[in-house]
């Protein structure tokens, strides 16, 4: 993987190739890992993610003709549309737009809408992207491209929206321009990140507390174990899980599963089928686990949160059924090799698991997971550490 400086330079170089602009300013936004609180965000619940050091950078140059052009080091062909056309494209004609370009163009559209600004009053732009956030690993490469675009365009267009509003712009782009029915967690994590801290977010009020993690001081590291199993949240399982949660909340007559206690779950038993009951039980118990994690972290430090991380994985594996054999293998092997805690992270159906490990056992855990994959006949995983890092903004 490249360093952040290389990636910013790559974005600038691409902008020079595409638009001739030299020394353009760059903005960037990070991917994230979620420490705990999975599939709770769209249930108005709690999450506890942090921004990581892998970022998407965008270089920007203005142009005088009312067009927006986006280019990426991942795709040879830039995509260009008139700013005035965005309202026609999204959401109705989004399928006509190259898939990756729906993210930045969707952000431009959602940003103008959120600010109530007419496209004819803002300058045209060329945007060039480069990223070192692994794609399809469950580390929110999508929130990273959304956050970089939103901060770059808001500043360039003089749109004064705060970070929470910019996170909502990213979610709108993802929901309506891309068509993935995801929640607000990833965008908030990418916007609000801070070094050595995680964001404890109430997804109903959007109140956020940035809480120190103290991993390094406790001699701990966080390993990401990317299984290489690709997933997409625009299709299939993610939307089905969300629908099951909405069914369960409706059966109980509450706005969201956030409003359901463990006692209410008994009542739910006679109202919905067994699968829907288990989906709801995951969300209700996961909300409690987020609260327990934050409390334990404050009272006893990060070395004490291992059990609750493991309980979260078991709930996702057995009740929510979003794990895959590769994720279970990574978690089991990491724990057997002495990890403090481990769980899959992100939306599931592939992507990555995380393991909290003592610094002196990181290598042993890495080796153990790699050999468990080889024994099971799985492709080799990509295992690396991540560090809680700052959120989106203009690069220095
Ligand atoms: C994906 C979505 C998030 C969240 C997680 C699961 O990352 O983008 O909104 O729902 O899955 O916790």
């Amino acid at each position: 993987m490249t360093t952040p400086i290389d990636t910013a330079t790559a974005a600038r170089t691409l902008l020079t190739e595409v638009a001739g602009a030299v020394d353009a300013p760059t903005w960037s936004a990070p991917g994230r890992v979620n420490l705990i609180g999975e599939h709770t965000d769209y249930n108005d619940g709690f999450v506890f993610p942090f921004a990581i050091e892998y970022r998407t950078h965008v270089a920007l140059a203005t142009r005088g003709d009312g067009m927006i052009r986006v280019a990426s080091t991942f795709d040879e062909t830039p995509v260009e549309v008139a700013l005035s056309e965005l309202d026609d494209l999204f959401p109705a004609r989004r399928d006509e737009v190259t898939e990756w370009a729906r993210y930045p163009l969707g952000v431009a559209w959602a940003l103008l809408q959120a600010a109530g600004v007419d496209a004819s009053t803002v300058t045209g732009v060329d945007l060039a992207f480069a990223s070192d956030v692994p794609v399809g690993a469950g580390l929110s490469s999508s929130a990273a491209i959304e956050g970089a675009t939103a901060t770059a365009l808001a500043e360039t267009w003089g749109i004064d929206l705060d970070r929470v509003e910019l996170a909502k712009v990213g979610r709108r782009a993802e929901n309506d321009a891309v068509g993935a029915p995801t929640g607000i967690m990833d965008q908030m994590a990418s916007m609000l990140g801070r070094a050595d801290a995680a964001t404890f977010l109430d997804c109903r009020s959007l109140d956020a507390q940035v809480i120190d993690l103290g991993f390094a001081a406790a001699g701990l590291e966080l390993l990401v174990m990317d299984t290489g199993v690709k997933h997409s949240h625009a299709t299939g399982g993610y939307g089905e899980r969300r629908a099951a949660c909405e069914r369960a909340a409706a059966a109980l007559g509450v706005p969201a599963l956030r409003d359901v206690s463990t006692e209410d779950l008994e009542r739910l038993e006679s109202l919905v089928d067994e699968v829907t009951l288990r989906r709801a039980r995951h969300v209700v118990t996961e909300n409690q686990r987020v609260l327990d994690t934050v409390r334990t972290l404050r009272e006893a430090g990060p070395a004490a949160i291992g059990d609750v991380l493991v309980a979260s994985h078991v709930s996702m594996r057995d009740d929510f059924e979003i794990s895959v054999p590769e994720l279970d293998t990574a978690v089991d092997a990491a724990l057997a090799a002495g990890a403090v805690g481990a769980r899959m992270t992100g939306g599931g159906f592939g992507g990555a698991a995380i393991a909290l490990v003592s610094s002196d056992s990181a290598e042993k855990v890495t080796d153990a997971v790699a050999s468990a994959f080889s024994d099971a006949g799985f492709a080799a995983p990509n295992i690396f550490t991540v560090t809680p890092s700052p959120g989106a903004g203009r690069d220095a």
Side-chain angles (χ1 to χ4, degrees):
M1 272 173 217
T2 50
T3 66
I5 296 299
D6 291 337
T7 316
T9 305
R12 262 202 205 106
T13 306
L14 179 63
L15 191 70
T16 306
E17 279 164 30
V18 170
V22 289
D23 289 337
T26 64
W27 287 257
S28 64
R32 62 99 189 91
V33 298
N34 189 17
L35 201 51
I36 194 159
E38 225 64 84
H39 288 258
T40 45
D41 60 352
Y42 56 77
N43 288 298
D44 279 2
F46 304 106
V47 294
F48 196 39
F50 64 82
I52 57 178
E53 63 270 53
Y54 297 101
R55 301 177 80 88
T56 295
H57 293 259
V58 60
L60 180 150
T62 56
R63 51 191 283 173
D65 59 0
M67 304 291 287
I68 177 167
R69 176 166 50 181
V70 293
S72 161
T73 54
F74 288 90
D75 191 312
E76 283 177 0
T77 324
V79 177
E80 188 173 48
V81 300
L83 286 167
S84 60
E85 215 192 316
L86 292 172
D87 274 347
D88 294 333
L89 281 176
F90 299 124
R93 290 168 46 216
R94 67 181 177 222
D95 292 349
E96 293 171 29
V97 181
T98 308
E99 208 177 331
W100 75 265
R102 290 175 205 163
Y103 293 91
L105 294 178
V107 166
W109 164 72
L111 181 63
L112 292 171
Q113 290 238 329
V117 168
D118 192 283
S120 64
T121 65
V122 296
T123 179
V125 281
D126 281 312
L127 301 169
F129 294 90
S131 181
D132 60 14
V133 184
V135 174
L139 300 179
S140 279
S141 54
S142 53
I145 192 170
E146 289 154 9
T149 311
T151 46
L153 288 180
E155 188 176 331
T156 305
W157 288 343
I159 289 175
D160 189 19
L161 293 180
D162 66 20
R163 282 176 174 263
V164 173
E165 292 305 319
L166 292 181
K168 288 186 194 165
V169 162
R171 178 183 54 181
R172 174 109 199 264
E174 188 137 350
N175 291 168
D176 294 342
V178 178
T182 50
I184 192 78
M185 167 171 75
D186 305 342
Q187 293 80 10
M188 288 292 276
S190 184
M191 279 292 160
L192 300 180
R194 212 191 64 199
D196 200 28
T199 302
F200 171 40
L201 177 67
D202 178 333
C203 297
R204 172 167 278 167
S205 64
L206 296 187
D207 282 345
Q209 290 177 50
V210 179
I211 296 183
D212 289 342
L213 289 171
F215 285 165
L220 296 173
E221 284 178 19
L222 199 92
L223 289 179
V224 167
M225 307 175 285
D226 178 7
T227 63
V229 179
K230 301 292 175 213
H231 66 284
S232 156
H233 297 323
T235 49
Y238 187 97
E240 284 166 20
R241 295 304 183 278
R242 185 167 180 157
C245 294
E246 284 162 8
R247 262 197 323 274
L252 285 166
V254 294
L257 287 180
R258 156 68 175 274
D259 304 300
V260 175
S261 66
T262 28
E263 295 79 59
D264 293 330
L265 283 176
E266 283 169 30
R267 202 152 61 80
L268 190 60
E269 233 176 286
S270 58
L271 299 174
V272 294
D273 61 273
E274 190 265 339
V275 172
T276 309
L277 177 70
R278 284 193 284 116
R279 304 296 187 249
R281 185 165 63 200
H282 163 71
V283 173
V284 172
T285 56
E286 184 80 350
N287 272 330
Q288 187 57 48
R289 282 187 288 270
V290 176
L291 301 177
D292 291 347
T293 302
V294 172
R295 199 196 55 242
T296 304
L297 191 64
R298 283 178 163 145
E299 289 173 6
I305 66 171
D307 290 349
V308 69
L309 298 184
V310 176
S312 170
H313 184 77
V314 169
S315 177
M316 289 188 284
R317 185 191 65 199
D318 298 346
D319 274 351
F320 219 57
E321 294 180 283
I322 54 171
S323 191
V324 294
E326 288 84 349
L327 288 166
D328 294 337
T329 299
V331 166
D332 292 346
L335 292 172
V340 171
R343 60 185 284 280
M344 54 148 280
T345 187
F349 306 102
I354 53 173
L356 187 61
V357 300
S358 66
S359 302
D360 49 20
S361 72
E363 206 177 311
K364 184 176 162 213
V365 172
T366 302
D367 292 347
V369 172
S371 45
F373 268 57
S374 149
D375 291 349
F378 300 147
N382 185 18
I383 304 176
F384 51 96
T385 59
V386 288
T387 313
S389 299
R394 187 170 174 147
D395 296 327

